[in-house]
Amino acid sequence: MRARALAIAISVVAVLLAALWFTHKGPVPRPLIAQARGHCVVNPSRMRRIHMMWLRQVRMRVVRYGVALRADRLTRCISCHVQKNAQGQAIPINAPGQFCSTCHVYAGVKVDCFACHAAVPEPAFAPGHFSGAHHIQAAFLWPRVLPRHFKASLSRAAP
Amino acid sequence: MTDPDSFVPQDSKAQAENEGGCDVGRRRLLAMAGGVAVLALAPGVTVWASTFRAKGAVDADPVRYGLLIDANHCQGGCDACVRACKQYNGLSGKTGPDNAQWIRKVTIQDPKTGFTRNFPVMCQHCAKPACVAVCPTGASFRRADGIVLVDKHRCIGCRYCLMACPYQARSFVAHKVDDQRPRAPRGKGTAEGCTLCVERVDRGKPPACVAACARRGHKAMLFGNLHDPQSAIAKRLAQYASTTIRADLGMEPGVHYRGI
Ligand code: SF4
Ligand code: SF4
């Protein structure tokens, strides 16, 4: 009796394994990321790991404290990474197969940024448009914000 | 403390500013939350000056941005400011209940004499903003330079601020938006209002409405630092009588009006 139950269990497992063997198509291909123009503000391999924390910090500093540096702009990320279609129009960066969605689909992580942020650059908004020097005038906020802010950022180093 | 988005001392600071200070018991609580020695509180406020502000300290801020709107120069029928705002911030320009309006032209008339005045009304960038007081998430906040903003990363779309603002300066984005301007992010499910074109201000430029009014030659709007006695706006305010709308509410708007 027990031998029969065992035989049934083994054959069920065998059938399942065989089904898996014949249906599985190999690993999901690694995402193919289009080459960006220009240089990333952070070493790309590091940026790949930390961009989510980086964006969270930067948005805090820019939105709440008005201290925006040249490297902080999401618009700059987009200007470098956006692809153009055959008509020369920018394709939204979160569209299927584009820079953000390629990895995020692969990783199964939803991108929420573009519910509010523009996913294409403004036509006259080429990389390097900002000199950054103007932002220094907001630096009166800096001394009392930055040290704490940086401490918080250090305690959130890359995973 | 490890999450930069729930960074207690900074948020509490914004809160303290906007309440015009808070009582000592609460401060001590905030101090512990911020990991700052409670003993530091005892000798005086100086230690705190860097993190929390004393009552009434808004007046001592080095920068407070504001506007002076001269209704004597504002022309009936002109909507250059409203259109500039719409264009710069990517608003639809429609005025239905579902459409965001950051600035409106208002006409007032004395029914007895028929005397009529036009002027634009937008978020008044109050020193004691009701929108900030009611916001349950800290999304409505007042920057240290006096600009009142919605941090849409935190806004949950509860619309308390729409109800609280006596100037009806807040709007709610009810539908999906996909034609935002890169410099003015806005999206479904969040509250929004005039930002004083904060991105332009940070680049050293006046708000779009002020620039448009000047381009039109009316020069009815003046933007500047109310707390710098040398600024054009402070000089003008010192020279002429001006008022704020519903000053009786005590919210100390940063937008001043002349000739209404
Ligand atoms: S006018 Fe309304 S939205 Fe603007 S700061 Fe005052 S209370 Fe807030
Ligand atoms: S709608 Fe957003 S900004 Fe307004 S009170 Fe609610 S959470 Fe705060």
Side-chain angles (χ1 to χ4, degrees), chain B residues 104-124:
Chain B
R104 308 179 173 96
K105 274 297 288 286
V106 169
T107 305
I108 53 167
Q109 190 175 40
D110 184 337
K112 292 212 179 70
T113 61
F115 176 76
T116 306
R117 271 290 136 104
N118 292 282
F119 50 88
V121 177
M122 70 291 284
C123 170
Q124 306 287 300

Side-chain angles (χ1 to χ4, degrees), chain B residues 131 134-137 139-140 150 154-162 170 191:
Chain B
C131 55
V134 300
C135 181
T137 62
S140 261
V150 180
R154 298 188 190 190
C155 177
I156 54 170
C158 68
R159 292 168 246 200
Y160 283 7
C161 55
L162 275 75
R170 284 277 164 94

